[in-house]
Amino acid sequence: SAVYIDGGGEPIFAWLHRNAGNRELDYGVVICPPIGYEQVHSHRTLRHLADELALASIPTLRFDWHGTGDSPGSDEDPHRYRTWLVNARESVRWMRDELGCRRIGIVGLRLGAALAALATLDLEIDGLTLWAPVTRGRQYVRELRAIGLTAEIPDRRRSSPMTDIEAAGFVLNSETAADLGPLDLSKYRPHAKRVLVVSRRARPLHRPDSTRVDR
């Protein structure tokens, strides 16, 4: 079901995935999506994840950050970084206050994983899954700037470090880029009983040798 929750002074749009026949709401999950083009590409995957958790009798909240998706606001609104941290914290509080979930798990993807980890500094979380997390803000901003530069036409003035970044049709304003720059997840210890980190550098256990021919 679609709901609006208080994202810290501004409402944000969310979907609650819940098995209608399940009356046991002790444990719930909040999904923190990525930002920008990564949010678009991961939408279906995260929706299916929420559906599967709901089928397993785990109510799951999947929300859009303020200024993204179906939530009000825009990419260019000020204080994006602080607002997004509040969005994550308020989503957890909503699950506790509205559904009565005593234990909460958070699943975060990319920048959503970094924001989820930082949000737990003010919360006590039962489980935290960081899926391909952004660990260094400066590196993430450089990646977005590189994507933006590859899409520019030759006679377009290239952006400087002090201008907004447009990457794949989404804008990261200069204030948000500056706020993300100092981010370094290695300096923080999330307040969670269990933490799972899934790296995007994962490799298969066995790599077949394409040059070998078995006879």
Side-chain angles (χ1 to χ4, degrees):
S1 58
V3 296
Y4 276 95
I5 64 177
D6 182 6
E10 294 279 357
I12 58 174
F13 179 81
W15 279 98
L16 176 62
H17 299 250
R18 177 180 173 183
N19 186 337
N22 177 37
R23 301 192 179 277
E24 177 58 52
L25 301 176
D26 181 65
Y27 189 88
V29 169
V30 173
I31 295 179
C32 296
I35 301 294
Y37 75 96
E38 290 180 327
Q39 185 177 18
V40 173
H41 290 306
S42 64
H43 178 269
R44 179 175 294 182
T45 297
L46 296 181
R47 187 189 70 197
H48 288 327
L49 172 61
D51 286 340
E52 290 298 320
L53 289 170
L55 287 174
S57 298
I58 301 174
T60 302
L61 187 72
R62 178 173 56 88
F63 68 91
D64 291 334
W65 305 99
H66 186 265
T68 73
D70 292 314
S71 290
S74 72
D75 295 330
E76 299 180 357
D77 286 346
H79 313 305
R80 298 292 79 206
Y81 183 60
R82 282 181 287 168
T83 298
W84 292 336
L85 286 175
V86 173
N87 292 168
R89 289 193 290 264
E90 292 302 320
S91 297
V92 170
R93 291 193 177 103
W94 188 91
M95 292 288 281
R96 286 175 172 163
D97 296 342
E98 297 297 325
L99 292 189
C101 298
R102 293 189 304 108
R103 298 183 299 145
I104 301 289
I106 302 180
V107 177
L109 175 59
R110 297 293 290 142
L111 186 59
L115 293 169
L118 295 176
T120 66
L121 299 180
D122 298 319
L123 300 166
E124 186 62 37
I125 299 299
D126 191 73
L128 177 64
T129 300
L130 306 179
W131 188 356
V134 171
T135 57
R136 295 183 181 275
R138 286 189 178 85
Q139 180 179 348
Y140 176 71
V141 171
R142 284 198 302 268
E143 289 176 2
L144 293 182
R145 183 169 287 113
I147 293 171
L149 292 175
T150 60
E152 288 185 338
I153 58 177
D155 60 347
R156 180 176 176 180
R157 186 177 64 182
R158 294 188 177 276
S159 60
S160 71
M162 298 305 294
T163 61
D164 295 346
I165 301 170
E166 183 177 348
F170 295 88
V171 174
L172 186 73
N173 65 50
S174 57
E175 177 194 65
T176 307
D179 288 342
L180 287 174
L183 171 65
D184 183 351
L185 277 191
S186 67
K187 296 180 179 180
Y188 300 93
R189 183 179 180 85
H191 292 175
K193 295 179 181 178
R194 293 178 294 274
V195 178
L196 172 65
V197 180
V198 182
S199 171
R200 64 176 178 175
R201 293 187 174 88
R203 294 289 186 270
L205 292 178
H206 301 286
R207 178 176 297 177
D209 183 359
S210 60
T211 63
R212 178 179 175 181
V213 178
D214 294 323
R215 297 183 183 277

